[in-house]
Amino acid sequence: MHVPEDLEDVIDFGDKLLSKGQFLINPISSFKIPDKISVNMHGLFFPSPIIFSSFKSHVDTLNFWLNLGAGGGCLKTITSKPRSGNDRPRICSFIQDETESLLNALGLPNPGIDQFLKKADFQPLLNANKPIGFSIAGETLEDYESMAMQICTFMDKLENKNFFLELNISCPNVNHGAPTKDLN
């Protein structure tokens, strides 16, 4: 059996390299989005229908994708309380049935909503004038309501309406997997 290789350090290294090389990468990664592919959805204007979906919150990496032509995107999932996530390895490659695969089982590591909004290091992404989403995960309907209100209040203070909320209701990488109350 092949022992899974922990790839999290490789990803962190790539993020750091991207951060240090911004002055080289930005001029060559800037992409003019064609005019006729834009999408208007629920009052938000996406200059491109291609968006990134809640895979991380590393600002330089996400800015790279916005410069490359993404029409917007969603930050990594936040919970009401801080989470360290699953034990490592939690991003690894493995071989099954002679096929190499990649497993992402982070388990929603994040600083919790209060620290996330206090630090607010995602603010440079808002300068791209492309919709940015906030992914939230909770165990109860009240968790979702509280976090949604905190984010909306925070964005109102910034006078920024160019955002959306994503409800993460079925993460397979956490024990509870879904909220304990019906969301209807």
Short mmCIF file of all heavy atoms in Angstrom, two decimals, residues 48-84:
data_model
loop_
_atom_site.label_atom_id
_atom_site.label_comp_id
_atom_site.label_asym_id
_atom_site.label_seq_id
_atom_site.Cartn_x
_atom_site.Cartn_y
_atom_site.Cartn_z
N SER A 48 -16.80 37.77 -15.50
CA SER A 48 -16.56 36.47 -16.12
C SER A 48 -17.42 35.44 -15.37
O SER A 48 -17.59 35.56 -14.16
CB SER A 48 -15.08 36.09 -16.00
OG SER A 48 -14.88 34.72 -16.24
N PRO A 49 -17.92 34.42 -16.06
CA PRO A 49 -18.69 33.39 -15.36
C PRO A 49 -17.81 32.42 -14.58
O PRO A 49 -18.32 31.57 -13.86
CB PRO A 49 -19.43 32.68 -16.50
CG PRO A 49 -18.53 32.85 -17.68
CD PRO A 49 -17.88 34.20 -17.50
N ILE A 50 -16.52 32.54 -14.70
CA ILE A 50 -15.59 31.65 -13.99
C ILE A 50 -15.27 32.27 -12.64
O ILE A 50 -14.80 33.41 -12.56
CB ILE A 50 -14.30 31.44 -14.80
CG1 ILE A 50 -14.63 30.78 -16.14
CG2 ILE A 50 -13.30 30.61 -14.00
CD1 ILE A 50 -13.49 30.76 -17.11
N ILE A 51 -15.55 31.54 -11.56
CA ILE A 51 -15.23 32.02 -10.22
C ILE A 51 -14.49 30.93 -9.46
O ILE A 51 -14.57 29.75 -9.81
CB ILE A 51 -16.48 32.46 -9.43
CG1 ILE A 51 -17.42 31.29 -9.14
CG2 ILE A 51 -17.23 33.56 -10.17
CD1 ILE A 51 -18.52 31.63 -8.17
N PHE A 52 -13.74 31.32 -8.44
CA PHE A 52 -13.12 30.32 -7.57
C PHE A 52 -14.05 30.06 -6.40
O PHE A 52 -14.81 30.92 -5.98
CB PHE A 52 -11.71 30.73 -7.12
CG PHE A 52 -11.61 32.08 -6.46
CD1 PHE A 52 -11.93 32.25 -5.13
CD2 PHE A 52 -11.17 33.18 -7.18
CE1 PHE A 52 -11.83 33.50 -4.52
CE2 PHE A 52 -11.05 34.43 -6.59
CZ PHE A 52 -11.39 34.59 -5.25
N SER A 53 -13.99 28.84 -5.90
CA SER A 53 -14.94 28.42 -4.89
C SER A 53 -14.26 27.99 -3.60
O SER A 53 -13.54 27.00 -3.58
CB SER A 53 -15.76 27.26 -5.45
OG SER A 53 -16.64 26.77 -4.48
N SER A 54 -14.45 28.74 -2.57
CA SER A 54 -14.06 28.51 -1.17
C SER A 54 -12.96 27.47 -0.92
O SER A 54 -13.12 26.61 -0.10
CB SER A 54 -15.28 28.19 -0.33
OG SER A 54 -15.95 27.05 -0.73
N PHE A 55 -11.84 27.59 -1.61
CA PHE A 55 -10.77 26.64 -1.39
C PHE A 55 -9.66 27.18 -0.51
O PHE A 55 -8.86 26.43 0.03
CB PHE A 55 -10.20 26.13 -2.72
CG PHE A 55 -9.34 27.11 -3.47
CD1 PHE A 55 -7.98 26.93 -3.56
CD2 PHE A 55 -9.91 28.20 -4.12
CE1 PHE A 55 -7.19 27.82 -4.27
CE2 PHE A 55 -9.14 29.09 -4.83
CZ PHE A 55 -7.77 28.90 -4.90
N LYS A 56 -9.59 28.48 -0.32
CA LYS A 56 -8.58 29.07 0.56
C LYS A 56 -8.87 30.53 0.78
O LYS A 56 -9.73 31.10 0.14
CB LYS A 56 -7.17 28.87 0.03
CG LYS A 56 -6.87 29.54 -1.27
CD LYS A 56 -5.40 29.47 -1.69
CE LYS A 56 -4.77 28.17 -1.39
NZ LYS A 56 -3.45 28.11 -0.92
N SER A 57 -8.10 31.12 1.69
CA SER A 57 -8.25 32.55 1.97
C SER A 57 -6.92 33.29 1.85
O SER A 57 -6.78 34.38 2.36
CB SER A 57 -8.87 32.76 3.36
OG SER A 57 -10.20 32.34 3.36
N HIS A 58 -5.94 32.69 1.19
CA HIS A 58 -4.65 33.34 1.00
C HIS A 58 -4.83 34.44 -0.04
O HIS A 58 -5.06 34.17 -1.23
CB HIS A 58 -3.60 32.31 0.56
CG HIS A 58 -2.23 32.87 0.43
ND1 HIS A 58 -1.71 33.25 -0.78
CD2 HIS A 58 -1.30 33.14 1.36
CE1 HIS A 58 -0.49 33.72 -0.59
NE2 HIS A 58 -0.22 33.66 0.70
N VAL A 59 -4.75 35.68 0.40
CA VAL A 59 -5.12 36.83 -0.42
C VAL A 59 -4.32 36.92 -1.72
O VAL A 59 -4.88 37.15 -2.79
CB VAL A 59 -5.01 38.14 0.40
CG1 VAL A 59 -5.22 39.36 -0.48
CG2 VAL A 59 -6.03 38.13 1.53
N ASP A 60 -3.00 36.75 -1.66
CA ASP A 60 -2.19 36.86 -2.88
C ASP A 60 -2.57 35.80 -3.91
O ASP A 60 -2.61 36.07 -5.11
CB ASP A 60 -0.70 36.80 -2.56
CG ASP A 60 -0.20 38.04 -1.84
OD1 ASP A 60 -0.85 39.10 -1.95
OD2 ASP A 60 0.83 37.95 -1.15
N THR A 61 -2.86 34.59 -3.45
CA THR A 61 -3.26 33.52 -4.37
C THR A 61 -4.61 33.86 -5.00
O THR A 61 -4.80 33.72 -6.22
CB THR A 61 -3.33 32.17 -3.65
OG1 THR A 61 -2.05 31.88 -3.09
CG2 THR A 61 -3.74 31.06 -4.59
N LEU A 62 -5.55 34.32 -4.19
CA LEU A 62 -6.87 34.65 -4.72
C LEU A 62 -6.80 35.86 -5.65
O LEU A 62 -7.50 35.90 -6.67
CB LEU A 62 -7.85 34.88 -3.57
CG LEU A 62 -8.07 33.66 -2.67
CD1 LEU A 62 -9.03 33.99 -1.55
CD2 LEU A 62 -8.52 32.45 -3.46
N ASN A 63 -5.96 36.84 -5.32
CA ASN A 63 -5.76 37.98 -6.21
C ASN A 63 -5.19 37.53 -7.55
O ASN A 63 -5.54 38.06 -8.61
CB ASN A 63 -4.82 39.01 -5.56
CG ASN A 63 -5.50 40.31 -5.31
OD1 ASN A 63 -6.55 40.61 -5.88
ND2 ASN A 63 -4.91 41.11 -4.46
N PHE A 64 -4.29 36.55 -7.52
CA PHE A 64 -3.74 35.98 -8.75
C PHE A 64 -4.87 35.47 -9.65
O PHE A 64 -4.91 35.75 -10.84
CB PHE A 64 -2.75 34.86 -8.40
CG PHE A 64 -2.27 34.09 -9.59
CD1 PHE A 64 -1.29 34.61 -10.42
CD2 PHE A 64 -2.79 32.84 -9.88
CE1 PHE A 64 -0.83 33.90 -11.53
CE2 PHE A 64 -2.35 32.12 -10.98
CZ PHE A 64 -1.37 32.66 -11.81
N TRP A 65 -5.82 34.73 -9.05
CA TRP A 65 -6.93 34.19 -9.83
C TRP A 65 -7.84 35.29 -10.35
O TRP A 65 -8.36 35.21 -11.47
CB TRP A 65 -7.72 33.16 -9.02
CG TRP A 65 -6.93 31.91 -8.82
CD1 TRP A 65 -6.35 31.47 -7.67
CD2 TRP A 65 -6.57 30.95 -9.83
NE1 TRP A 65 -5.67 30.30 -7.90
CE2 TRP A 65 -5.79 29.95 -9.20
CE3 TRP A 65 -6.84 30.85 -11.18
CZ2 TRP A 65 -5.28 28.87 -9.91
CZ3 TRP A 65 -6.33 29.75 -11.89
CH2 TRP A 65 -5.56 28.79 -11.24
N LEU A 66 -8.04 36.33 -9.55
CA LEU A 66 -8.86 37.46 -10.02
C LEU A 66 -8.17 38.16 -11.18
O LEU A 66 -8.81 38.52 -12.18
CB LEU A 66 -9.12 38.44 -8.87
CG LEU A 66 -10.06 37.95 -7.77
CD1 LEU A 66 -10.09 38.94 -6.61
CD2 LEU A 66 -11.46 37.71 -8.31
N ASN A 67 -6.85 38.36 -11.08
CA ASN A 67 -6.09 38.99 -12.17
C ASN A 67 -6.07 38.13 -13.42
O ASN A 67 -6.00 38.64 -14.54
CB ASN A 67 -4.66 39.29 -11.74
CG ASN A 67 -4.57 40.43 -10.77
OD1 ASN A 67 -5.45 41.27 -10.71
ND2 ASN A 67 -3.50 40.45 -9.99
N LEU A 68 -6.13 36.82 -13.23
CA LEU A 68 -6.06 35.89 -14.36
C LEU A 68 -7.39 35.82 -15.12
O LEU A 68 -7.45 35.25 -16.19
CB LEU A 68 -5.65 34.50 -13.86
CG LEU A 68 -5.02 33.56 -14.84
CD1 LEU A 68 -3.77 34.15 -15.49
CD2 LEU A 68 -4.66 32.25 -14.15
N GLY A 69 -8.46 36.41 -14.55
CA GLY A 69 -9.72 36.46 -15.27
C GLY A 69 -10.92 35.91 -14.52
O GLY A 69 -12.02 35.91 -15.07
N ALA A 70 -10.74 35.45 -13.29
CA ALA A 70 -11.91 35.00 -12.53
C ALA A 70 -12.85 36.19 -12.33
O ALA A 70 -12.41 37.31 -12.07
CB ALA A 70 -11.49 34.41 -11.19
N GLY A 71 -14.13 35.95 -12.44
CA GLY A 71 -15.12 37.01 -12.30
C GLY A 71 -15.49 37.30 -10.86
O GLY A 71 -16.27 38.19 -10.58
N GLY A 72 -14.94 36.58 -9.93
CA GLY A 72 -15.22 36.72 -8.50
C GLY A 72 -14.83 35.42 -7.83
O GLY A 72 -14.19 34.56 -8.44
N GLY A 73 -15.23 35.26 -6.60
CA GLY A 73 -14.93 34.01 -5.93
C GLY A 73 -15.36 34.03 -4.48
O GLY A 73 -15.86 35.02 -3.98
N CYS A 74 -15.16 32.90 -3.84
CA CYS A 74 -15.64 32.70 -2.48
C CYS A 74 -14.48 32.30 -1.57
O CYS A 74 -13.70 31.40 -1.91
CB CYS A 74 -16.71 31.62 -2.47
SG CYS A 74 -17.62 31.53 -0.94
N LEU A 75 -14.36 32.98 -0.44
CA LEU A 75 -13.32 32.68 0.54
C LEU A 75 -13.58 31.34 1.23
O LEU A 75 -14.71 30.85 1.24
CB LEU A 75 -13.27 33.79 1.60
CG LEU A 75 -12.97 35.19 1.08
CD1 LEU A 75 -13.16 36.22 2.17
CD2 LEU A 75 -11.57 35.26 0.52
N LYS A 76 -12.54 30.80 1.82
CA LYS A 76 -12.62 29.53 2.54
C LYS A 76 -13.66 29.62 3.66
O LYS A 76 -13.85 30.65 4.26
CB LYS A 76 -11.25 29.18 3.11
CG LYS A 76 -11.21 27.84 3.76
CD LYS A 76 -9.79 27.36 3.89
CE LYS A 76 -9.68 26.05 4.59
NZ LYS A 76 -10.85 25.23 4.64
N THR A 77 -14.29 28.52 3.96
CA THR A 77 -15.38 28.47 4.94
C THR A 77 -14.95 28.91 6.34
O THR A 77 -13.90 28.52 6.83
CB THR A 77 -15.95 27.04 4.99
OG1 THR A 77 -16.43 26.68 3.70
CG2 THR A 77 -17.09 26.95 5.99
N ILE A 78 -15.83 29.71 6.96
CA ILE A 78 -15.65 30.20 8.32
C ILE A 78 -16.74 29.58 9.19
O ILE A 78 -17.88 29.40 8.75
CB ILE A 78 -15.77 31.75 8.34
CG1 ILE A 78 -14.70 32.39 7.47
CG2 ILE A 78 -15.72 32.30 9.76
CD1 ILE A 78 -13.29 32.14 7.92
N THR A 79 -16.38 29.31 10.45
CA THR A 79 -17.34 28.79 11.42
C THR A 79 -17.48 29.79 12.57
O THR A 79 -16.70 30.73 12.68
CB THR A 79 -16.89 27.42 11.96
OG1 THR A 79 -15.57 27.53 12.49
CG2 THR A 79 -16.90 26.37 10.85
N SER A 80 -18.45 29.55 13.44
CA SER A 80 -18.68 30.49 14.53
C SER A 80 -17.52 30.49 15.53
O SER A 80 -17.16 31.53 16.07
CB SER A 80 -20.00 30.20 15.24
OG SER A 80 -20.00 28.88 15.76
N LYS A 81 -16.93 29.35 15.77
CA LYS A 81 -15.80 29.22 16.69
C LYS A 81 -14.55 28.78 15.91
O LYS A 81 -14.67 28.15 14.86
CB LYS A 81 -16.10 28.15 17.76
CG LYS A 81 -17.35 28.41 18.56
CD LYS A 81 -17.05 29.32 19.72
CE LYS A 81 -18.23 29.47 20.63
NZ LYS A 81 -18.95 30.67 20.50
N PRO A 82 -13.36 29.10 16.42
CA PRO A 82 -12.13 28.65 15.73
C PRO A 82 -12.08 27.12 15.63
O PRO A 82 -12.57 26.42 16.50
CB PRO A 82 -11.01 29.16 16.64
CG PRO A 82 -11.62 30.24 17.47
CD PRO A 82 -13.07 29.87 17.63
N ARG A 83 -11.48 26.66 14.54
CA ARG A 83 -11.29 25.21 14.32
C ARG A 83 -9.87 24.97 13.82
O ARG A 83 -9.40 25.69 12.94
CB ARG A 83 -12.25 24.69 13.25
CG ARG A 83 -13.70 24.68 13.62
CD ARG A 83 -14.54 24.12 12.47
NE ARG A 83 -14.08 22.82 12.05
CZ ARG A 83 -14.53 21.66 12.52
NH1 ARG A 83 -15.49 21.66 13.42
NH2 ARG A 83 -14.06 20.53 12.08
N SER A 84 -9.23 23.97 14.37
CA SER A 84 -7.89 23.62 13.90
C SER A 84 -7.95 22.70 12.69
O SER A 84 -6.97 22.54 11.97
CB SER A 84 -7.07 22.98 15.02
OG SER A 84 -7.71 21.81 15.49
#
